[in-house]
Amino acid sequence: MAEEALAGFDPVEYINTPRWQESRMGLDRITQLMERLGNPQDSLRVVHVAGTNGKGSTCAYISGVLQAAGYRTGLFTSPYIIEFSDRIRIDGCNISPEALMRATLEVRAVAEAMSDHPTEFELMTAVAFVAFKQAGCECAVIEVGLGGRLDSTNVLSHPEVCVLAPIALDHTHLLGDTVEAIAREKAGIIKPGASVVSARQAEGAKCVIEQAAAALDAPITWVDADALSESRLEEAVQDGHAIPMRVFSYAGFSRLATRLLGTYQPQNAALAIEACLALRARGFNVSDEAICQGISSARWPGRFEIVAHEPTFIVDGGHNPQGARVLVESLKSVFPGRKVTFLVGVLADKDYSAMLRQVVPLGSAFVCVQPPNPRALSAQDLAEAIAGIAREMPAGEGDVKLHVAGDIASGVARARDIARADGLVCAFGSLYSIADIMVALRKLGA
């Protein structure tokens, strides 16, 4: 690569150019872009993952299993949690600056020649596929960005396995205002002859998925909820350190362990296991040992993750009512009887009222912040919403202290001060806040 091509070029800045950030759903641009690039996605054996909640964790589990089985594996997820390169991982490591540069330059050369320039997410999708091909990946785990049918990742023509995580109401202004309508969009990733694996779904969504799979002659496997044991927390030693693990069994796999502590994680792991068994049926050399190792080694930032101590500080990416519900379940499971200082910031287009109604009874204080996103609800409006919900709660359940922080860094400091060393802080409401929260904690020495 000529040195002059590298000088002064910032791949992240190029992909994030504001004029390309408009969301324009449809497959025409991404299809044209990938064709001009030689369809690098066709060189990969792909697991395509859609759904409302649990997509990212499920992807992390599947990727971990494939790596444990010896496959060079790409992982594409969105949005990024800590840094931009989170979105493209190769064998569990964020893409290097040099590899990101090479892939982005190749995509730019083609994108600039298109009369209808690709969007930011289309560019990102193309860069991921080019990077995986350049790195010699044998397979890839691809998370849908939004919906499924018209998502840029649906440029895939022959995925090995199509995975559907739990489907709930979210992005209703784009995907539809019923679970059935949203399920139709997400089931749009199913391709003829692919294996389909789905989590347990609401009856309406289940019917939609079954119809879509049958129409495309795609065999479907459902997670067997009856084969999933109750989970429990145990301490395990890894890399010389004692860490909490959630231990459970699924089907023929006993004493599975995951360091992802949410009560919902065994369900995500079971979905990943079924996906890996489907891959095995399609010729992948995935042993039982690789499945167990991949589940236990998987990491996924911002999903009920303990990131600091004194006080215990949890970061959770829950950003819809279902996510809030399982967050509360996890807090009660891992920290029974404890009241929580919540650090919360939400997007205005989410059903934040339904989210807050679930967490307010568990909170002793709320520190409100505004996420770094144009769609964010202001911290003041959020505080007023919490106050209104608290007033409606039965006596004793809505007795919370409210604080409005000017920015995320001051919000983190305030929440820690309120909780004190032996307390519990939980940050939730938006994935977009997590990077700033982590930066603030590092600056505080937490």
Side-chain angles (χ1 to χ4, degrees):
M1 184 183 303
E3 291 297 324
E4 57 269 21
L6 301 176
F9 178 70
D10 183 339
V12 177
E13 181 181 339
Y14 174 72
I15 293 168
N16 288 338
T17 297
R19 65 181 181 276
W20 300 328
Q21 289 179 4
E22 180 187 355
S23 178
R24 292 175 287 151
M25 298 181 73
L27 298 178
D28 290 344
R29 286 177 306 278
I30 188 66
T31 299
Q32 182 184 158
L33 178 60
M34 300 311 294
E35 286 176 349
R36 293 186 179 198
L37 289 165
N39 284 317
Q41 74 278 12
D42 290 344
S43 68
L44 302 163
R45 301 182 74 180
V46 172
V47 179
H48 201 189
V49 182
T52 305
N53 292 298
K55 300 193 302 294
S57 299
T58 301
C59 286
Y61 286 128
I62 298 170
S63 177
V65 170
L66 288 171
Q67 291 169 56
Y71 290 96
R72 188 155 175 77
T73 305
L75 173 62
F76 178 54
T77 59
S78 60
Y80 71 84
I81 304 300
I82 307 299
E83 57 186 354
F84 185 85
S85 57
D86 289 351
R87 302 178 72 169
I88 302 176
R89 303 184 193 186
I90 297 168
D91 283 348
C93 297
N94 289 6
I95 189 171
S96 69
E98 296 78 16
L100 180 60
M101 175 81 75
R102 285 195 300 272
T104 306
L105 283 172
E106 183 171 333
V107 171
R108 182 182 71 160
V110 171
E112 293 301 310
M114 292 174 58
S115 57
D116 187 7
H117 196 284
T119 66
E120 176 189 17
F121 190 69
E122 288 164 347
L123 290 171
M124 193 73 251
T125 301
V127 168
F129 285 127
V130 169
F132 294 153
K133 183 176 181 180
Q134 290 177 346
C137 291
E138 301 162 87
C139 52
V141 183
I142 306 297
E143 180 189 13
V144 166
L146 176 64
R149 180 176 63 91
L150 297 176
D151 186 75
S152 299
T153 63
N154 209 27
V155 72
L156 295 164
S157 58
H158 55 272
E160 298 283 339
V161 181
C162 301
V163 179
L164 292 160
I167 295 170
L169 294 176
D170 201 11
H171 299 290
T172 53
H173 60 297
L174 293 172
L175 303 179
D177 58 4
T178 66
V179 169
E180 291 80 3
I182 292 174
R184 274 189 287 275
E185 291 299 315
K186 296 184 184 293
I189 69 168
I190 298 173
K191 300 297 189 303
S195 297
V196 179
V197 175
S198 177
R200 186 168 60 175
Q201 306 285 359
E203 189 59 34
K206 180 181 179 182
C207 291
V208 169
I209 293 167
E210 287 176 333
Q211 291 167 5
L216 295 170
D217 194 26
I220 185 168
T221 300
W222 299 91
V223 168
D224 183 358
D226 294 332
L228 185 62
S229 72
E230 288 288 329
S231 65
R232 62 188 182 279
L233 291 174
E234 294 184 6
E235 274 202 347
V237 177
Q238 286 195 359
D239 302 325
H241 298 284
I243 61 171
M245 303 282 283
R246 190 165 284 280
V247 179
F248 62 101
S249 300
Y250 179 68
F253 295 90
S254 61
R255 283 198 58 79
L256 291 159
T258 174
R259 65 179 68 196
L260 306 183
L261 299 179
T263 55
Y264 49 88
Q265 287 298 347
Q267 285 121 32
N268 294 336
L271 180 60
I273 289 169
E274 291 291 1
C276 292
L277 293 176
L279 288 172
R280 181 191 289 178
R282 297 177 74 94
F284 278 68
N285 183 19
V286 178
S287 67
D288 286 358
E289 293 75 15
I291 290 175
C292 294
Q293 182 181 339
I295 297 299
S296 66
S297 64
R299 299 189 182 193
W300 196 237
R303 273 64 173 189
F304 204 80
E305 181 183 15
I306 298 174
V307 295
H309 298 277
E310 296 183 359
T312 300
F313 199 114
I314 296 165
V315 172
D316 187 85
H319 55 273
N320 55 38
Q322 185 181 41
R325 177 179 59 78
V326 295
L327 169 61
V328 169
E329 290 175 0
S330 298
L331 286 167
K332 289 180 177 178
S333 169
V334 181
F335 303 100
R338 299 277 296 275
K339 280 286 190 176
V340 184
T341 297
F342 284 104
L343 176 68
V344 57
V346 300
L347 301 187
D349 57 3
K350 298 292 183 179
D351 187 1
Y352 56 85
S353 292
M355 295 164 58
L356 296 170
R357 289 182 191 283
Q358 301 193 61
V359 300
V360 164
L362 203 60
S364 59
F366 284 79
V367 179
C368 301
V369 297
Q370 181 171 322
N373 186 283
R375 292 153 41 214
L377 185 72
S378 76
Q380 184 61 50
D381 287 347
L382 175 59
E384 292 173 4
I386 295 172
I389 289 169
R391 285 193 293 269
E392 298 171 3
M393 292 285 174
E397 289 190 10
D399 185 17
V400 298
K401 297 177 181 177
L402 282 171
H403 306 268
V404 175
D407 55 38
I408 287 177
S410 60
V412 168
R414 184 67 176 133
R416 281 167 50 84
D417 287 344
I418 293 169
R420 301 183 180 178
D422 59 349
L424 177 61
V425 178
C426 178
F428 87 104
S430 174
L431 290 168
Y432 295 101
S433 300
I434 294 176
D436 288 350
I437 291 169
M438 298 303 292
V439 168
L441 286 169
R442 283 197 296 270
K443 289 182 177 179
L444 291 169

